[in-house]
């Protein structure tokens, strides 16, 4: 699932292409919105909220999307050939005289009154890349369940909005704790909150979720995606474990030497536990 910095970059590109211009094309390809026509209205703002994307349109409308695992927005120049997937995967098209934004495989696509946006995103915690980022409130929410594994807390968008599995693994490595360590046993949790903010902020206008400072392929992450390969800090083989919860399955990477705390028995890397290529 895309991380918050990916949504920030997507929103930036959509804003540059659409904001301040009247729509000449609107095509929402889901049954409940198939008859909606927003042409002639101006896009007033595009912004992310955690992993959600909100496109505000004049007359008090907001197009709300969430990419989840497969969704993607792609911007093309007017008249340019679309290349993001077959036509049957297109869920939304918004265009003006200069650009066309195409939403592929969008699992969440709904049109709301702007005043009703809290129904879609009001449950989220402080947005790590939002203008109203509040580290004190994020820390309060993180500490609210001291027995909870820190990796679970980091993924909980009600605690902080924007962290996905890449940053979950990388932040735990950088703080020297395993993702299964109870929040109450993490020393100086305010440093974890600050690190999360700085990591996403550093990557919000580029691809790759780079946490090592090294942009070379294979060296962008400390542990994520490096199952069985040497830890970039100490050389110990990076461990991997699958984790299943009621809604989804995730893969966890950690260094048994650099990170202290509880952990399951590491698994041998297999084809099913290796991540695919970085999302672009």
């Amino acid at each position: 699932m895309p991380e918050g910095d990916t949504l920030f970059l997507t929103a930036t590109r959509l804003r540059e292409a659409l904001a301040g211009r009247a729509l000449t094309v609107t095509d929402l390809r889901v049954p409940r919105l198939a008859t909606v026509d927003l042409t002639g209205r101006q896009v007033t703002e595009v912004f992310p909220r955690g992993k959600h994307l909100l496109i505000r349109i004049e007359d008090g409308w907001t197009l709300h999307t969430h990419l989840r695992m497969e969704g993607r927005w792609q911007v093309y120049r007017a008249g340019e050939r679309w290349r993001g997937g077959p036509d049957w995967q297109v869920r939304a098209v918004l265009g003006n005289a200069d650009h066309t934004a195409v939403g592929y495989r969008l699992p969440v696509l709904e049109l709301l009154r702007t005043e009703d946006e809290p129904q879609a995103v009001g449950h989220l915690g402080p947005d790590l890349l939002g203008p109203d980022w509040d580290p004190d409130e994020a820390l309060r929410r993180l500490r609210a369940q001291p027995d909870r594994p820190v990796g679970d807390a980091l993924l909980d968008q009600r605690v902080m909005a924007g962290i996905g599995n890449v940053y979950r693994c990388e932040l735990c490595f950088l703080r020297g704790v395993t993702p299964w360590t109870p929040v109450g046993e993490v020393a100086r949790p305010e440093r974890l909150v600050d690190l999360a903010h700085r990591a996403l902020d550093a990557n919000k206008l580029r691809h790759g979720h780079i946490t090592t400072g090294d942009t070379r392929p294979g060296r962008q992450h400390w542990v994520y995606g490096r199952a069985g390969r040497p830890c970039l800090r100490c050389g110990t083989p990076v461990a991997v474990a699958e984790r299943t919860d009621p809604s989804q399955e995730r893969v966890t990477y950690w260094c048994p030497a650099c990170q202290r705390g509880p952990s399951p028995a590491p698994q041998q890397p297999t084809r099913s536990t290796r991540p695919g290529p970085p999302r672009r």
Side-chain angles (χ1 to χ4, degrees):
M1 185 178 295
E3 317 263 334
D5 52 359
T6 298
L7 268 295
F8 188 96
L9 181 57
T10 297
T12 298
R13 290 177 173 173
L14 287 173
R15 185 183 307 115
E16 292 172 348
L18 300 177
R21 298 175 176 87
L23 292 169
T24 58
V25 176
T26 59
D27 185 3
L28 306 179
R29 301 182 185 181
V30 294
R32 66 184 178 280
L33 300 178
T35 61
V36 170
D37 184 5
L38 299 171
T39 56
R41 292 180 172 88
Q42 187 176 99
V43 174
T44 60
E45 177 62 292
V46 182
F47 65 98
R49 184 73 173 88
K51 298 183 181 184
H52 300 253
L53 192 65
L54 301 170
I55 302 174
R56 286 181 177 167
I57 301 166
E58 69 175 337
D59 294 335
W61 292 103
T62 296
L63 190 66
H64 166 233
T65 64
H66 194 298
L67 306 186
R68 293 187 180 166
M69 293 296 293
E70 300 296 331
R72 181 180 182 182
W73 279 98
Q74 187 73 40
V75 175
Y76 304 98
R77 293 190 178 278
E80 182 181 359
R81 184 174 64 88
W82 303 351
R83 302 178 302 278
D87 188 66
W88 60 267
Q89 292 184 346
V90 174
R91 297 292 179 269
V93 182
L94 301 176
N96 54 44
D98 300 311
H99 297 94
T100 302
V102 183
Y104 295 92
R105 302 172 295 277
L106 300 174
V108 176
L109 175 63
E110 60 179 346
L111 189 65
L112 308 170
R113 298 300 304 185
T114 299
E115 62 190 24
D116 294 331
E117 286 177 1
Q119 296 178 10
V121 297
H123 65 287
L124 298 174
D127 188 337
L128 283 151
L129 294 178
D132 56 350
W133 164 241
D134 186 344
D136 293 332
E137 175 61 14
L139 180 61
R140 185 192 70 79
R141 294 183 181 216
L142 182 65
R143 284 173 160 167
Q145 295 179 274
D147 295 331
R148 190 181 193 184
V150 66
D152 288 1
L154 289 173
L155 284 178
D156 189 342
Q157 302 301 294
R158 297 167 298 180
V159 175
M160 289 180 281
I163 295 175
N165 199 36
V166 176
Y167 284 116
R168 166 182 174 257
C169 296
E170 294 292 286
L171 290 169
C172 287
F173 174 86
L174 289 167
R175 292 302 298 146
V177 297
T178 67
W180 300 275
T181 302
V183 169
E185 296 179 14
V186 177
R188 304 291 299 273
E190 67 274 11
R191 292 188 177 181
L192 183 61
V193 171
D194 178 65
L195 184 61
H197 176 248
R198 289 190 289 117
L200 268 72
D201 188 66
N203 287 294
K204 66 184 181 182
L205 294 178
R206 65 183 179 187
H207 292 290
H209 317 304
I210 299 165
T211 56
T212 61
D214 191 336
T215 61
R216 291 175 293 176
R219 300 188 65 85
Q220 297 172 330
H221 304 138
W222 292 102
V223 291
Y224 183 82
R226 295 184 57 82
R229 299 171 63 187
C231 170
L232 293 177
R233 178 179 288 168
C234 73
T236 301
V238 172
V240 61
E242 292 188 358
R243 169 188 175 274
T244 303
D245 64 26
S247 63
Q248 57 196 321
E249 183 178 276
R250 294 187 183 273
V251 179
T252 300
Y253 303 90
W254 79 103
C255 174
C258 292
Q259 295 172 252
R260 296 183 179 180
S263 62
Q267 302 161 2
Q268 292 297 318
T270 66
R271 188 173 185 177
S272 63
T273 59
R274 292 184 185 275
R279 296 181 66 88
R280 295 298 182 187

